[in-house]
Amino acid sequence: MLSSEPQSGLSTGRTLNRREGLHRYQRPPHGSAAHDAVLVLDPSPEENFGHPVVLFYVDVNVTKKRCSHLDGIYLAECLTLALKGRCQNQLKRRQTGPERFLGNSRLSGGGRGGPSGGRLLEQAIRGLCEVHFLPLVVAVGDRNRTQRLRCVHSEFARCPQLLPMTSTTSPVSSCELNKNTRRCHQQLLATHLSCRLYQTCDHAVLLSGWRQQVTFQRHAQNLVGFYRMLQNNGFHKDHIKTFFAGGGQLPDIEGVYSATEKAVIRNHMSYICRKQHCADTLVLYLNSPTRNDGAMLLWDANLNGIADLKERYSVNELLTDLAGCKATRVLLFVDQSYSGVLSKRLRGSQKHFNGLLNVTLAGAPCNATPPLTDIELRREYQGCQNLPTARWHQK
C-alpha cells in the first residue's frame, strides 16, 4: 500500500491532467486537481510494474452526502476512485464503482470463504480505465516536483527495497534528445567496435529500469544474475551491453550504460543485427516496466513522471530493429508484464523467423553423441570464433 503524506493540498500535478502521457488521470468531479492525500493499492506487489493498481483520491472535511454524490466511499474521509482520462470504458464507472469491492469488508478480505483482498481489487478495476503505474504526487506549489508518495508497510506485503539512484537529483531537462547535439549524449558507446574482422561472436543486450520508485534491488539482482549466466556460457564482457536506470548504477558488472537515450539502444541493436557475420547468438533480456500495449519504459530522464515518446520503446520499434537480423539466432528473454503482446506479434510476423532451436545458448547441439567436452564447447561455439576469409566475404 502506498500513500501520500496527510498534508493539505496534495495533487497529481497539473502537468498530468493536461498532457497525454502514462499518468494522465481523469480530472476530479468537483473540478479541482488538488486533494488532501492519494492512496494507491497494489494487488500484485511481487510483480513488475505494468500491472493494474488501484488509485484513490482522499479528501477530508467532505460530508457523507457530498461524498456519495461524487461516487465515492465515505470512511471518515472521502475516497474517490481515480481513472485515466480518454479511455473507452470510462462510462462504466458508476456501474462498477469502488463501493462494489469496499462495501462492508473494507479490504479485509471478507468472512470465511469470502474473496481475498487481491480478488476484490481485481473486481474493482475490471472493465475500467486501469492505472498501471504509480502516479507522481506533488504538493501544490512545489516547483521541484518532489514525489510525496510513500510505501506504507502492511500485513499484505512488505515494502520493496529501493535501489539508490545518485543521478536522479539532476534531471535531463535541457537536453534536446530529438536533436543531434553533442551535449545530449550522456554515454559513450562505440558500437562499431563490437564487430571484428573475420570473427563472429555471441552478443547480448540487457534492458531495465524506468523511475527510482519502481526500480528495486531485485531488478538489479535480475540483471547481475543474467549477466553472470551469460558469462558462464562464454559471452565476453565486451559483448554484453546493459542499459539500466539513469546513470547505469550497477557496480557489480561491466559495460553498463544509462537507459536514457532510446536512439543509442536502438542503434546498437540495429548495428549488431545488420552487420554481416557479426553476431552468432544475439540475446535480449528485457526487464523493464511495460505498458499494456507491450511498450517498454526507458529511464524517465526529465523526472516528470510521464512516459514521453522518447522514453518508450514500443513493440513496433523493437520488431523493426530485429527484422531480418543477420545473427545466426536471436533469443529473447522477456521478463516483464504484457509479454504476450510481443509473443503474438512475433508468431504472426513474416520478417522474424521463429523455429524450435535444439541448441544451447551459444549454438551447440543439445544431443551431441558423444557429449561435447568443455574445451570443445569453448573452442567451437562459445564466445567468438574465427571465420575463414571465403566465408567472411560470402553474402
Side-chain angles (χ1 to χ4, degrees), residues 90 300 311 352:
Q90 186 171 342
D300 184 20
E311 296 170 354
H352 306 82

Side-chain angles (χ1 to χ4, degrees), residues 136 143-147 165-177 183-184 186 210-212 245-247 249 258 260-261 299-306 308 310-311:
L136 176 62
R143 296 184 178 181
N144 295 327
R145 299 178 61 80
T146 304
Q147 172 66 281
M165 298 288 175
T166 57
S167 66
T168 55
T169 56
S170 56
V172 186
S173 57
S174 60
C175 181
E176 301 170 358
L177 293 176
R183 62 189 173 92
C184 285
Q186 306 289 316
W210 183 52
R211 284 181 57 82
Q212 180 179 12
Q249 299 94 336
S258 64
T260 56
E261 297 183 47
W299 191 251
D300 184 20
N302 53 15
L303 305 183
N304 67 349
I306 300 176
D308 302 315
K310 58 180 174 289
E311 296 170 354

Side-chain angles (χ1 to χ4, degrees), residues 266-286:
R266 296 191 64 187
N267 289 340
H268 177 73
M269 290 204 301
S270 296
Y271 183 86
I272 298 298
C273 265
R274 302 294 176 264
K275 192 71 173 180
Q276 187 76 20
H277 299 307
C278 177
D280 184 29
T281 295
L282 174 59
V283 171
L284 271 63
Y285 176 69
L286 310 177

Side-chain angles (χ1 to χ4, degrees), residues 77 125 150 168 180 184 196 208 222 240 320 333 365 377:
E77 295 85 19
I125 56 182
R150 297 291 183 267
T168 55
N180 187 21
C184 285
R196 299 178 180 177
S208 178
N222 289 343
I240 305 175
T320 298
F333 295 82
L377 285 174

Side-chain angles (χ1 to χ4, degrees), residues 266-340:
R266 296 191 64 187
N267 289 340
H268 177 73
M269 290 204 301
S270 296
Y271 183 86
I272 298 298
C273 265
R274 302 294 176 264
K275 192 71 173 180
Q276 187 76 20
H277 299 307
C278 177
D280 184 29
T281 295
L282 174 59
V283 171
L284 271 63
Y285 176 69
L286 310 177
N287 190 220
S288 290
T290 317
R291 295 175 11 132
N292 58 3
D293 60 359
M296 295 172 285
L297 302 189
L298 306 179
W299 191 251
D300 184 20
N302 53 15
L303 305 183
N304 67 349
I306 300 176
D308 302 315
L309 287 177
K310 58 180 174 289
E311 296 170 354
R312 305 181 212 163
Y313 193 3
S314 69
V315 172
N316 283 339
E317 291 171 328
L318 176 62
L319 294 181
T320 298
D321 297 337
L322 296 179
C325 189
K326 291 181 170 58
T328 306
R329 66 197 65 84
V330 179
L331 305 176
L332 274 68
F333 295 82
V334 188
D335 185 12
Q336 56 195 24
S337 302
Y338 300 103
S339 58

Side-chain angles (χ1 to χ4, degrees), residues 108-265:
S108 64
R112 180 178 300 179
S116 65
R119 288 181 57 193
L120 290 170
L121 293 177
E122 290 175 1
Q123 294 174 10
I125 56 182
R126 186 180 304 156
L128 292 179
C129 306
E130 298 174 346
V131 177
H132 293 86
F133 296 91
L134 300 181
L136 176 62
V137 182
V138 300
V140 172
D142 180 9
R143 296 184 178 181
N144 295 327
R145 299 178 61 80
T146 304
Q147 172 66 281
R148 303 297 296 271
L149 198 66
R150 297 291 183 267
C151 181
V152 179
H153 177 73
S154 66
E155 296 180 0
F156 181 56
R158 292 185 177 182
C159 292
Q161 289 183 302
L162 296 179
L163 193 67
M165 298 288 175
T166 57
S167 66
T168 55
T169 56
S170 56
V172 186
S173 57
S174 60
C175 181
E176 301 170 358
L177 293 176
N178 292 327
K179 297 183 179 180
N180 187 21
T181 54
R182 187 177 295 272
R183 62 189 173 92
C184 285
H185 295 283
Q186 306 289 316
Q187 56 201 356
L188 296 176
L189 177 58
T191 297
H192 64 281
L193 299 179
S194 300
C195 303
R196 299 178 180 177
L197 192 65
Y198 303 120
Q199 194 178 69
T200 184
C201 299
D202 297 330
H203 291 264
V205 175
L206 285 58
L207 182 60
S208 178
W210 183 52
R211 284 181 57 82
Q212 180 179 12
Q213 196 171 14
V214 296
T215 304
F216 306 143
Q217 294 278 4
R218 58 185 170 90
H219 294 126
Q221 295 168 0
N222 289 343
L223 290 178
V224 173
F226 200 88
Y227 180 90
R228 300 300 182 204
M229 183 275 294
L230 291 173
Q231 283 197 317
N232 292 337
N233 282 271
F235 283 68
H236 194 273
K237 62 181 181 180
D238 292 339
H239 297 145
I240 305 175
K241 305 301 181 186
T242 303
F243 298 93
F244 178 68
Q249 299 94 336
L250 275 179
D252 295 331
I253 63 178
E254 299 183 40
V256 181
Y257 303 86
S258 64
T260 56
E261 297 183 47
K262 180 167 67 174
V264 173
I265 300 172

Side-chain angles (χ1 to χ4, degrees), residues 6-142:
Q7 178 177 331
S8 177
L10 291 181
S11 167
T12 55
R14 283 175 291 179
T15 302
L16 302 183
N17 289 322
R18 189 171 59 217
R19 294 179 52 189
E20 182 177 1
L22 180 66
H23 293 135
R24 188 161 187 242
Y25 298 108
Q26 172 181 305
R27 196 170 185 85
H30 49 283
S32 172
H35 299 273
D36 294 300
V38 172
L39 173 67
V40 181
L41 301 177
D42 185 355
S44 307
E46 299 300 324
E47 295 182 5
N48 289 336
F49 274 99
H51 60 269
V53 297
V54 184
L55 174 64
F56 291 100
Y57 295 130
V58 182
D59 294 287
V60 299
N61 298 326
V62 176
T63 64
K64 186 175 181 179
K65 182 177 180 181
R66 176 61 176 167
C67 185
S68 177
H69 179 72
L70 297 175
D71 200 18
I73 293 295
Y74 187 78
L75 300 172
E77 295 85 19
C78 184
L79 276 68
T80 53
L81 188 65
L83 307 173
K84 289 192 294 187
R86 293 189 180 181
C87 50
Q88 297 178 353
N89 297 322
Q90 186 171 342
L91 296 180
K92 295 183 180 180
R93 182 185 182 192
R94 289 189 175 274
Q95 301 174 14
T96 55
E99 67 277 357
R100 287 193 56 184
F101 70 97
L102 281 174
N104 295 326
S105 66
R106 298 197 178 187
L107 297 181
S108 64
R112 180 178 300 179
S116 65
R119 288 181 57 193
L120 290 170
L121 293 177
E122 290 175 1
Q123 294 174 10
I125 56 182
R126 186 180 304 156
L128 292 179
C129 306
E130 298 174 346
V131 177
H132 293 86
F133 296 91
L134 300 181
L136 176 62
V137 182
V138 300
V140 172
D142 180 9

